[in-house]
Amino acid sequence: MNERRIHSREAARAGFTLLELLVVLAVVLLIVGMVWPNLLAYMQTATLRDHSRTVAETISHTRLGAIDYGVPYQFFYEPDGTHYLMLPADDDPAAGDAESTVEVLRIPGETGELPEGYAFKTPKGIESSQVSIPGESLKDVPNADIVQGVTWATPAVFYPDGSGTDYLFEMENDSGHYLTVSIRSLTGAATLSPIQSRNSQ
């Protein structure tokens, strides 16, 4: 009989009481509550960085288009919107023989769109006109239907020698995190600033 009592007491001590489980759960929830805001902010800024790299790649393609096809190329973004576009600035072929003319006239463009919760912004103090592109100029651009009727900021222009125009714009998520994309005229290269928060300004 005594052996059974001892065994039952040891079995009870080997398990967890409801109170102990509630304490452990409360500690776990407290730790998650402390870590979650930082983790969420990290995920949001990492995603913003990923989307900005995709846009920077399109800017690089725009510069290479100007070099490869021998005509100026333009990069457009939609202020307070999600669309962006690379497009030749001129349909005149580069100097060359007549046989190359047909091929050069088929200069490709490229469209893109940021996901919901992200937008392009014109930095404060930067003058930018509103530009519309006629549908005829978009006829050979893949997925041109997504940018029909979009109003654009004044574009960045790239030239056949690899140079471009000095240019700035911002990319922002709906949590107020943003970064600045800048283009240097001499090299035509795009650089990304560190991510900042408008909420901390």
Side-chain angles (χ1 to χ4, degrees):
M1 188 72 175
N2 289 336
E3 289 181 5
R4 287 184 180 177
R5 288 179 180 175
I6 292 171
H7 181 70
S8 63
R9 286 176 184 172
E10 289 176 351
R13 288 176 184 171
F16 292 100
T17 66
L18 179 59
L19 180 60
E20 288 171 332
L21 288 174
L22 289 175
V23 169
V24 170
L25 182 60
V27 171
V28 170
L29 290 175
L30 180 63
I31 292 172
V32 170
M34 293 170 60
V35 172
W36 180 249
N38 291 333
L39 180 61
L40 184 61
Y42 172 79
M43 292 169 58
Q44 289 172 335
T45 55
T47 307
L48 175 60
R49 177 68 64 178
D50 289 342
H51 292 315
S52 66
R53 285 179 181 144
T54 300
V55 172
E57 286 177 10
T58 301
I59 292 173
S60 179
H61 295 166
T62 308
R63 177 178 176 272
L64 291 176
I67 295 170
D68 291 344
Y69 292 99
V71 296
Y73 254 70
Q74 301 169 106
F75 173 83
F76 297 84
Y77 73 89
E78 179 187 17
D80 300 317
T82 60
H83 298 94
Y84 56 99
L85 168 72
M86 63 172 274
L87 194 69
D90 190 80
D91 282 335
D92 293 334
D97 56 53
E99 292 182 2
S100 68
T101 300
V102 174
E103 197 63 35
V104 172
L105 283 173
R106 294 176 183 166
I107 298 172
E110 185 177 325
T111 61
E113 186 174 9
L114 299 177
E116 186 178 350
Y118 295 83
F120 293 103
K121 299 288 182 179
T122 301
K124 291 181 180 179
I126 299 293
E127 294 291 333
S128 181
S129 302
Q130 300 290 299
V131 178
S132 295
I133 300 175
E136 180 69 17
S137 299
L138 300 170
K139 65 179 181 178
D140 295 323
V141 178
N143 303 314
D145 55 314
I146 69 170
V147 296
Q148 292 285 353
V150 170
T151 300
W152 308 96
T154 305
V157 183
F158 297 86
Y159 302 100
D161 64 359
S163 64
T165 53
D166 284 321
Y167 202 72
L168 288 174
F169 64 92
E170 295 172 348
M171 295 178 61
E172 182 178 344
N173 64 21
D174 55 9
S175 298
H177 295 100
Y178 73 99
L179 57 75
T180 302
V181 181
S182 59
I183 300 171
R184 294 189 61 190
S185 60
L186 185 62
T187 62
T191 57
L192 308 176
S193 75
I195 293 176
Q196 302 175 63
S197 175
R198 300 198 193 280
N199 299 328
S200 62
Q201 294 179 350

